[in-house]
Amino acid sequence: MARVIGEQIPLTVAGRTDAGVHALGQVASFETARPVADTLPRALNSLTGHDLAITGLAEAPGFDARRHAVSRRYRYRVEAASPPSPFEHGRALHWPYPLDREALGGCAAMLSGTHDFTAFTPTETDHVRFEREVLEAGWSDEDDRIVAFEIEADAFMRNMVRILVGTMLEVGGGRRGLADFERLLAGAPRPEAGPTAPAHGLYLLAVSY
């Protein structure tokens, strides 16, 4: 932005994407007193490299990409097949173990509504409010190899989706029961939940305003 516009431009981004996480629908906002041409996305894309593409630009006075968001939607992709596909390397978690799909669905069904997600964010955190409202959650087949978890909520905490997935995979693998997963949604401490699933399976799908 600084190179193209000619001034330092602070960016406000809509959602967190930790190292290794992908984004299909990230949104950013910025302010500048200089006129911005329709050719700005093309100019920026010439500088961003192969792993980032600006898909659109619109003028929106007063708009804040983070503060004005009302919900965010994420997808986590699990490759439940062997051998792992080289085309999914770095794009989906390879899971070569038995997976009870009915149990996964049962976990997702419990997520709708408002819950205390203390168990699903690191203990060392800056968060002061741990309740989040989940608008929709579910598992589905992307194809014959990939099973995907999608969740939309008013807001997310650090690593929340990845810890939810790591814990649900324990339920789907028979190492944890549905009743235990439900108990975690009442504000259990972080050590009682499952592991944090790897970053490379997670995608920020969309931000709603």
Side-chain angles (χ1 to χ4, degrees), residues 71-129:
S71 70
R72 295 163 180 83
R73 189 175 189 89
Y74 286 87
R75 175 186 297 156
Y76 196 96
R77 303 175 70 242
V78 177
E79 185 183 19
S82 287
S85 167
F87 299 106
E88 294 296 347
H89 178 70
R91 304 295 181 196
L93 169 63
H94 182 230
W95 188 261
Y97 312 108
L99 201 55
D100 184 337
R101 296 292 303 282
E102 186 174 344
L104 290 180
C107 289
M110 296 177 188
L111 291 174
S112 293
T114 301
H115 305 282
D116 185 332
F117 288 94
T118 300
F120 301 97
T121 195
T123 301
E124 299 295 327
T125 179
D126 293 330
H127 294 297
V128 295
R129 181 180 70 87

Side-chain angles (χ1 to χ4, degrees), residues 49-61:
H50 70 279
D51 59 351
L52 175 65
I54 289 84
T55 59
L57 174 72
E59 186 175 348

Side-chain angles (χ1 to χ4, degrees), residues 13-33:
V13 295
R16 175 190 294 274
T17 51
D18 293 331
V21 175
H22 313 288
L24 299 176
Q26 182 66 281
V27 180
S29 57
F30 65 92
E31 294 184 5
T32 178

Side-chain angles (χ1 to χ4, degrees), residues 8 25 39 63 96 118 133 144 152 154 161 177 190 200:
Q8 292 297 322
T39 57
F63 173 67
T118 300
E133 182 185 3
D144 60 352
E152 182 175 355
D154 60 344
V161 179
R190 170 67 186 96
H200 64 263

